[in-house]
Structure formats: structure tokens, C-alpha cells
Amino acid sequence: MRVTVTGRGCHSSLAPQGVNAVDYAARLIVRMQDIASRLASAGGQDLDYDIPHSTAHTGVIKGGTALNIVPDSCVFDCEFRVLPNEDADALVQELRDYADELVPQMQRIAPEAGIEIEVFAQFPGLDTAPDADVVALTKRLTGNNGHSKVAFGTEGGRFSEMLGVPTVICGPGSISQAHKPDEFVAQSQLDLCDEFLAQLSEWVASPPAS
């Protein structure tokens, strides 16, 4: 989500005459963290994930131009990552409802003030059954009898839920090595990937008789 808070700027010596967009953005971010704490302590649990519960997170915030100016705008990006059986839309609505409580306070000083919450990316989670045929095939081709679930985003949920394609996530590397200045995939992992793709190609060329 991208949250845009519009306030009213003024010199900070006259701060009560303005509406501090950063302050109101901070309230929304604190509410996100309150939701995150609730999801961790009282939400659903799935121990196959590294993080077994739904999460809330704020990743980027931009607001203000100078210390002595009450900021008239603040924008921040935040997200919910939910377990497949939880309702992401309900969490977004909870944040919208809180924003609706804040706006009248802002508009008592500045009628032009407001809060906009835009969902700019959304996709369903993947919830493939552990005993699904596609899981068994992947285990056989990789030689790995274990399985787990990943919390990062993939197209898997779209393939499964929207197209009806049985789907698993299987690939080289580790998410713990991603999104860093020295992001990498080990050569040994690429070798295993090559081997997996070769075996998959053979299976596709001559699948077992049903």
C-alpha cells in the first residue's frame, strides 16, 4: 500500500496553525505495528513458515522539507503479508477505518487535509497441499523428501488460485542472501538447479503412464 497524508504547512513557530502530515503518518505507522503485534500473538499460525504468522511492515517514508517548516505532505509504503487463510482486505480496511478517524481531527484545522490509502500491489498466497501430486513429483526430482513454505512473494498464488495450475515453489538460492549489496546465488545451487531442470525435461518428454 502507498499511504499519502496531506496536511497544511506553516512555519514551525506557528505549528498549531498547521496540520503536521508526518505526525499523522506516524500515527498510522504505529497502528500498523499494533496490528503486527496482534497478528503475531493472536493471529493464525502455520509452523511450516520461517515466520509462522501474518506480518505488517512499513518500508519507506518521505515527508518534510526543513526542521522549521510543518510538513504538509508525507508518503509511506507499507504492506501486509498474510497466511493464505487470512483476509488481507480486512486488514487494509482496518487501516482505512483508523484513517477515517484521524481525518476529521485534521480537517478541523485544514479542510483540505486528508489521507489516501492506495493498494498498488496485491496477489493471493499459495496453499498447495503437502500430499499434492506436484509436491510428490518435485520431491522425487530433487531428491529432497522435506518441504516448507516461504513468506516472500511469488506468482505461485496466481497460477494456483486464478488459473487452477498445481504449483510449488522450487528454485536455487536462499531469500536470506537476497536484497543485499552482495546479493548472490551459490554456484552449487545453480548446479542443482540445472540437474533438476534436466530431470524435469526428461519427465515432461516421457511422463509415466496414468
Side-chain angles (χ1 to χ4, degrees):
M1 296 166 287
R2 177 157 294 140
V3 181
T4 302
V5 181
T6 301
R8 175 184 286 178
C10 64
H11 194 276
S12 61
S13 63
L14 303 173
Q17 297 180 11
V19 174
N20 190 317
V22 170
D23 283 354
Y24 279 94
R27 297 188 194 189
L28 288 159
I29 291 170
V30 169
R31 177 55 62 96
M32 285 284 292
Q33 287 309 300
D34 290 343
I35 294 172
S37 296
R38 187 186 75 226
L39 292 171
S41 62
Q45 298 278 318
D46 187 335
L47 297 179
D48 282 342
Y49 287 97
D50 290 340
I51 305 298
H53 53 78
S54 298
T55 60
H57 161 75
T58 300
V60 177
I61 182 169
K62 299 177 182 178
T65 56
L67 176 59
N68 63 344
I69 299 175
V70 172
D72 63 358
S73 178
C74 186
V75 179
F76 66 93
D77 292 349
C78 56
E79 66 177 15
F80 293 115
R81 291 179 182 254
V82 302
L83 298 177
N85 60 348
E86 295 203 359
D87 188 351
D89 291 336
L91 296 175
V92 174
Q93 188 57 49
E94 183 176 346
L95 191 64
R96 291 189 194 278
D97 290 344
Y98 182 59
D100 289 343
E101 295 177 15
L102 297 177
V103 169
Q105 302 174 26
M106 303 165 68
Q107 292 183 341
R108 280 198 289 270
I109 297 172
E112 71 274 19
I115 298 171
E116 178 186 358
I117 298 177
E118 172 197 3
V119 177
F120 65 86
Q122 183 176 19
F123 52 90
L126 177 64
D127 194 20
T128 303
D131 59 354
D133 290 344
V134 68
V135 177
L137 172 63
T138 305
K139 288 180 177 180
R140 181 162 64 83
L141 296 181
T142 60
N144 183 350
N145 289 325
H147 65 267
S148 61
K149 298 179 181 180
V150 295
F152 50 83
T154 75
E155 298 87 351
R158 293 191 183 277
F159 294 152
S160 177
E161 182 174 312
M162 303 174 71
L163 300 178
V165 177
T167 304
V168 294
I169 307 304
C170 178
S174 168
I175 195 65
S176 64
Q177 297 160 356
H179 305 314
K180 297 178 179 180
D182 58 348
E183 182 177 53
F184 70 95
V185 177
Q187 182 62 50
S188 59
Q189 286 286 300
L190 295 175
D191 292 341
L192 288 172
C193 183
D194 286 343
E195 183 179 341
F196 171 76
L197 291 174
Q199 293 190 57
L200 179 61
S201 297
E202 291 181 9
W203 182 87
V204 170
S206 56
S210 58

